[in-house]
Amino acid sequence: MKIGSFVIALLLISVAGSGQPGRNPKITLANPRIAGGAQDRAQWVRNLYKIAYPVVHNLAAGTLKKNLPLEQGPSYNLVVTDVTYLEAVGRTVAGIAPWLELPDDQTEEGILRAKMRNELLQGLKNAVDPASPDCLNFKKQSQPIVDAAYLSHAFLRAPKALWQPLDTVTKRRYIDAFKSLRTRSGAYNNWLVFAALTEGFLRYIGEDYDPVRIDYALNKMKDWYTGDSWYKDGDLFSMDYYNSYVIHPMLTDLIGTLLEKRPGKIHVTAGDYETALRRMVRHAEFLERIIAPDGTYPAFGRSVTYRTAAFQVLGQVALMEKLPEYIRPAQVRCALTKVFSNMFDGNQNFDANGWLVLGFNGHQPMMADVYTSTGSLYMATLGFLPLGLPANNKFWTDPPADWTSKKAWSGQPVKKDYKVEY
């Protein structure tokens, strides 16, 4: 049986507690004899589904605001009911979008994927329907600037699956919601990229857009580039994962969309895109190297409660099939599989109804930042972008391979690291 046919034949799916829409369906391995890339893909699907299901299912049912917990860090300083629901939706959708963009098929995975896509399309309609109990806030507070950008990124990552099927009224409501963000400004840091990406999406779909917000973000990011793939997050450098959470993926994809012919002039070139991409690829090398032989990685800097979003850049470079020659796709697959196993195979990061809890690896609310609530945590889906590669791609079919730190600590040959000048 081919990998594409049996990858989720490994899974038995039964939805428990139908009267409790906050609960995850139970997904368990049915055939532990299957190994290698098929087993890894099954685990990734199981983990991603486990994370995303409560958000997608409740949004489709109109019960997200009813059932999403409102847990906050001890110093939380936002109005949680104004921001946490859009956070949960935008961040979840940005991570699952490449997987949902895959074409339909009759494999068990394909059926599961289509089910989630259909629920999400209903949920996306509810999210901007004034008559829905789950109509989301775009017009109050500054935080929606951030999470509208994650929604925009999802639409750019999966236009056929998530944007084009929406009805005309729903599309218009999103367009109006995104334009309403222009009444506010955010922080003088990576937030500039958020505002620019949303405007870039409006340009992409042929709507009027604000070129000033785009040009300003592009120019500041040029100023804030500090070398060897690292951008400052504002005037000062911050040692954290924001280059992966936000900067490289959004900046690279924004420049890519700006190269497409549209009315109006934005001053970017193919060379600008190539530079942004090369820097992102270099950053992916750092991320691959920090995964320890046991699949752990450093919990440093702001927003470590975003968990596996730390590997968005590595996942995006793998999804784009742009990994450096010496980093084999299978070693990225195996490294991330080990990370995901540590994080999500147990229940330490979920509450009794399947929602993520505040923490890094367990319930650790003291690790939450002043802006972190339950909805914020769904950035974790951003680590799963390679699921957008079909099951017959070499990322999934190549034999297992050790990653860099595992090679280094076991005495295997390892390519020496270096610095870059671009």
Side-chain angles (χ1 to χ4, degrees):
M1 189 182 293
K2 294 182 179 179
I3 184 172
S5 300
F6 66 63
V7 64
I8 304 301
L10 302 171
L11 304 179
L12 289 177
I13 305 164
S14 61
V15 180
S18 58
Q20 302 179 53
R23 286 189 181 274
N24 281 334
K26 293 180 179 178
I27 303 177
T28 56
L29 288 176
N31 188 352
R33 294 175 298 172
I34 302 299
Q39 180 80 355
D40 291 344
R41 186 175 177 95
Q43 179 181 325
W44 285 45
V45 171
R46 181 185 67 228
N47 291 156
L48 182 60
Y49 202 85
K50 183 177 182 180
I51 297 165
Y53 176 82
V55 176
V56 174
H57 182 70
N58 278 280
L59 187 66
T63 54
L64 183 68
K65 291 184 180 180
K66 176 183 177 183
N67 289 322
L68 179 72
L70 299 179
E71 188 178 15
Q72 306 153 43
S75 301
Y76 188 77
N77 64 6
L78 302 178
V79 181
V80 68
T81 52
D82 283 346
V83 301
T84 198
Y85 307 112
L86 180 57
E87 285 183 290
V89 173
R91 297 168 188 219
T92 298
V93 181
I96 65 177
W99 183 52
L100 298 185
E101 185 77 344
L102 287 175
D104 285 336
D105 58 56
Q106 293 305 306
T107 65
E108 283 79 3
E109 178 189 345
I111 294 168
L112 180 68
R113 188 171 61 242
K115 180 177 182 294
M116 177 161 278
R117 185 193 304 120
N118 289 337
E119 281 206 308
L120 180 56
L121 288 171
Q122 178 60 49
L124 288 172
K125 182 178 180 179
N126 292 344
V128 287
D129 182 355
S132 169
D134 278 344
C135 188
L136 301 178
N137 166 54
F138 290 87
K139 295 185 177 180
K140 293 186 292 183
Q141 315 300 329
S142 294
Q143 182 64 32
I145 295 172
V146 175
D147 299 297
Y150 282 108
L151 261 180
S152 297
H153 210 177
F155 290 143
L156 288 169
R157 283 172 167 167
K160 295 178 181 178
L162 300 182
W163 179 253
Q164 293 175 15
L166 296 177
D167 62 84
T168 302
V169 171
T170 299
K171 287 179 179 176
R172 186 76 251 166
R173 286 169 174 166
Y174 276 108
I175 291 165
D176 291 344
F178 291 164
K179 290 180 179 180
S180 76
L181 300 166
R182 297 170 183 167
T183 62
R184 283 147 286 164
S185 63
Y188 187 62
N189 55 17
N190 66 85
W191 278 49
L192 300 181
V193 182
F194 294 132
L197 186 68
T198 302
E199 296 296 334
F201 170 71
L202 290 170
R203 178 183 181 274
Y204 173 79
I205 60 173
E207 284 290 320
D208 63 289
Y209 63 98
D210 184 354
V212 174
R213 288 177 182 244
I214 295 174
D215 278 336
Y216 188 55
L218 294 177
N219 289 332
K220 288 312 301 181
M221 295 317 299
K222 287 180 181 178
D223 292 343
W224 289 340
Y225 184 67
T226 191
D228 208 14
S229 85
W230 291 90
Y231 287 91
K232 294 186 293 183
D233 192 13
D235 287 334
L236 298 177
F237 180 77
S238 299
M239 192 63 195
D240 53 37
Y241 291 107
Y242 271 84
N243 271 262
S244 191
Y245 292 153
V246 181
I247 296 171
H248 281 291
M250 288 195 173
L251 185 61
T252 303
D253 288 348
L254 170 63
I255 295 172
T257 67
L258 295 176
L259 291 176
E260 298 191 15
K261 291 183 180 180
R262 294 287 191 278
K265 292 184 178 180
I266 295 290
H267 301 292
V268 297
T269 66
D272 293 326
Y273 179 75
E274 181 64 25
T275 296
L277 178 59
R278 293 173 73 197
R279 290 172 178 175
M280 184 167 69
V281 171
R282 171 60 178 150
H283 203 72
E285 294 181 81
F286 279 116
L287 294 173
E288 192 272 343
R289 283 179 177 262
I290 67 169
I291 301 174
D294 63 353
T296 59
Y297 65 96
F300 62 72
R302 297 169 295 158
S303 304
V304 295
T305 56
Y306 296 166
R307 295 182 172 104
T308 45
F311 297 102
Q312 179 177 202
V313 160
L314 182 58
Q316 176 151 333
V317 170
L319 176 65
M320 297 172 72
E321 299 186 280
K322 296 291 186 181
L323 290 168
E325 185 177 350
Y326 83 93
I327 298 181
R328 295 161 56 192
Q331 73 187 69
V332 175
R333 182 192 84 222
C334 292
L336 290 178
T337 298
K338 187 63 176 173
V339 171
F340 297 158
S341 179
N342 290 337
M343 279 283 188
F344 303 123
D345 277 357
N347 291 313
Q348 73 274 18
N349 290 313
F350 302 90
D351 71 11
N353 288 320
W355 301 98
L356 291 171
V357 297
L358 293 188
F360 174 72
N361 192 27
H363 188 225
Q364 302 156 306
M366 74 294 297
M367 298 183 77
D369 293 274
V370 296
Y371 45 78
T372 308
S373 60
T374 303
S376 315
L377 308 176
Y378 286 86
M379 289 266 284
T381 63
L382 297 174
F384 291 83
L385 299 184
L387 275 175
L389 294 168
N392 61 1
N393 185 276
K394 64 181 180 180
F395 185 91
W396 303 108
T397 59
D398 280 358
D402 289 343
W403 50 100
T404 299
S405 69
K406 193 170 182 180
K407 293 177 182 177
W409 282 98
S410 60
Q412 299 178 54
V414 174
K415 184 182 183 297
K416 78 175 188 67
D417 203 8
Y418 61 102
K419 67 173 184 175
V420 302
E421 302 294 339
Y422 44 79

